[in-house]
Amino acid sequence: MKEINKQPLRVALLCTGVDGHRGGIETFFDECFKGLKEAEGIDVVLCRGPGKTSVGEFAIPCLLRNHRPAKWLGVLLRRNSYIVEQLTAFPFFARFVRQWKPDIIFYSDSNHGFLLHRWRKQMGVDYKLLFSNGGPCHPPFSRTDFVHQVAPLYKEEALTAGEPDAKHIMVPYGIQPPENVIFLNESERKTQRSRLNLPPDRKLAVSVGWLSATHKRMDYTIREIAALGENRPHLAMVGRMDETTPPIIALARELLGESGFTAVSVPYDRVADYYQAADVFVLSSLFEGFGRVFLEALGQGLPCLIHDHPVMHYVLGDEGQYGDFSQPGNLSGLLRSTLDIPLRLEDQRRRHEIVQARFSWEALRSAYVQMFQQVAATPIP
């Protein structure tokens, strides 16, 4: 058994998409490093893609997925640019592993784990692989040593499928909610909407995520808001755009009119501007691995209208407003009743405090350290 108390465990957080592609997983690993770098008992390094680094970070040369060379090489290899990013990063990360000799490699991009599992003996470093299952992926988990489950549903699914209990450790995603969040009243929200070139005198529903009909189901959101008629809120869709986005924008133009919606992709630190301007948060996905975006919206004091699913219940509890979003008319009904209720300061504060108490790094730091220590002390199942 590893002597885990004599020296700090060396934990490499591996996520080449940090800054290059700002999705939920990338944001989690960036905040995980910041939340754990001062924790006792572990020595943490964030291994990220090329770019500017700070103390405790290691930049891995690679072809980033959203750059043209990765897309071109992906066409030649018949792989997508996301896989190209991880394939081109592997030789450089392998050199880092040989030099630093981490005890644990904590990652969420499956192809990183497959390569590290395949070449572990050749690399000559006795590391353990801990896969953070935020996707989510489903069993079997045959090419990793341990699995960080972020919601009870997926741990139960793995155990039901015959996975060993010792292999799966349940700790929710951590998040860093804004410490000095300012909750705006109705007049101030109107001013904020004007700053963002949004209609100041209309209610605002914000939906944050991939602007696509796939998974986030922005098409369903558009149709449900259109069903509210003339008094419907303005819809702000904020998130990643790709080749699947133009049909979404075309549908919004058709059903909501040019002035009835906004579609933008902004840096992560500007998404909060849209939360502050909004009256309600909506997301029409029928499942999530965890849903950090729910905590972002809740931490900004917004009511959250979401699909009735066990993971959403775990994350939001009594603060979520649930409906069967597989059926037409259910989101529009929730929107109608929610927008009739004024957004009160005491409700906003309560929602923020719930996120702080359950999911902040201050609340979860010790649980993550214990997870790493448990992995280090447990033989590979």
Side-chain angles (χ1 to χ4, degrees), residues 134-312:
C137 293
H138 305 281
F141 296 93
S142 56
R143 288 186 282 181
T144 192
D145 303 324
F146 297 89
V147 181
H148 166 219
Q149 299 286 9
V150 298
L153 175 69
Y154 298 116
K155 179 174 181 178
E156 293 167 6
E157 176 189 74
L159 299 185
T160 300
E163 292 271 319
D165 182 72
K167 185 171 184 170
H168 296 264
I169 305 169
M170 178 31 229
V171 183
Y173 265 160
I175 193 171
Q176 189 54 57
E179 294 181 1
N180 299 314
V181 62
I182 299 174
F183 301 117
L184 306 184
N185 59 34
E186 177 62 27
S187 174
E188 292 166 334
R189 286 198 299 278
K190 288 182 179 181
T191 301
Q192 177 74 342
R193 291 196 281 269
S194 295
R195 291 195 192 105
L196 297 172
N197 295 317
L198 302 170
D201 294 322
R202 291 180 64 182
K203 296 285 188 177
L204 177 65
V206 64
S207 188
V208 178
W210 181 20
L211 272 63
S212 173
T214 304
H215 191 194
K216 302 304 181 184
R217 302 177 70 240
M218 291 290 181
D219 56 331
Y220 176 85
T221 301
I222 292 167
R223 295 181 190 280
E224 292 295 292
I225 287 183
L228 293 174
E230 293 299 320
N231 293 324
R232 60 178 175 256
H234 187 84
L235 172 63
M237 298 180 288
V238 184
R240 175 166 65 97
M241 299 186 188
D242 60 14
E243 66 278 1
T244 67
T245 301
I248 293 297
I249 294 177
L251 180 67
R253 286 196 180 111
E254 176 189 350
L255 298 184
L256 302 179
E258 195 70 49
S259 62
F261 76 99
T262 299
V264 294
S265 184
V266 299
Y268 177 73
D269 57 4
R270 285 196 53 209
V271 176
D273 295 340
Y274 290 84
Y275 288 135
Q276 287 188 323
D279 298 281
V280 65
F281 171 82
V282 301
L283 192 67
S284 296
S285 51
L286 299 181
F287 72 93
E288 290 289 339
F290 183 81
R292 280 174 50 90
V293 69
F294 302 146
L295 298 182
E296 293 173 7
L298 196 70
Q300 293 285 347
L302 289 178
C304 296
L305 278 54
I306 52 177
H307 179 62
D308 193 351
H309 183 270
V311 171
M312 283 68 146

Side-chain angles (χ1 to χ4, degrees), residues 38-159:
E38 303 297 333
E40 295 184 3
I42 58 173
D43 185 6
V44 179
V45 171
L46 175 61
C47 300
R48 51 186 291 170
K52 186 178 180 180
T53 60
S54 59
V55 175
E57 298 181 350
F58 174 73
I60 306 172
C62 64
L63 300 179
L64 293 174
R65 72 192 77 169
N66 54 348
H67 292 179
R68 287 183 179 178
K71 296 176 181 178
W72 291 338
L73 184 56
V75 171
L76 292 174
L77 298 176
R78 297 183 180 180
R79 299 288 188 273
N80 62 42
S81 59
Y82 172 59
I83 294 177
V84 168
E85 177 182 290
Q86 293 159 61
L87 291 175
T88 56
F90 180 70
F92 301 98
F93 182 66
R95 184 172 62 184
F96 167 83
V97 169
R98 291 191 187 101
Q99 293 173 346
W100 197 59
K101 294 180 172 54
D103 298 293
I104 298 168
I105 299 175
F106 186 43
Y107 68 99
S108 197
D109 298 303
S110 297
N111 290 285
H112 283 318
F114 298 161
L115 291 165
L116 290 163
H117 188 269
R118 167 66 180 81
W119 294 99
R120 176 161 38 193
K121 289 184 179 180
Q122 290 84 346
M123 291 167 67
V125 180
D126 189 24
Y127 53 77
K128 290 180 177 178
L129 294 171
L130 175 58
F131 172 62
S132 185
N133 190 28
C137 293
H138 305 281
F141 296 93
S142 56
R143 288 186 282 181
T144 192
D145 303 324
F146 297 89
V147 181
H148 166 219
Q149 299 286 9
V150 298
L153 175 69
Y154 298 116
K155 179 174 181 178
E156 293 167 6
E157 176 189 74
L159 299 185

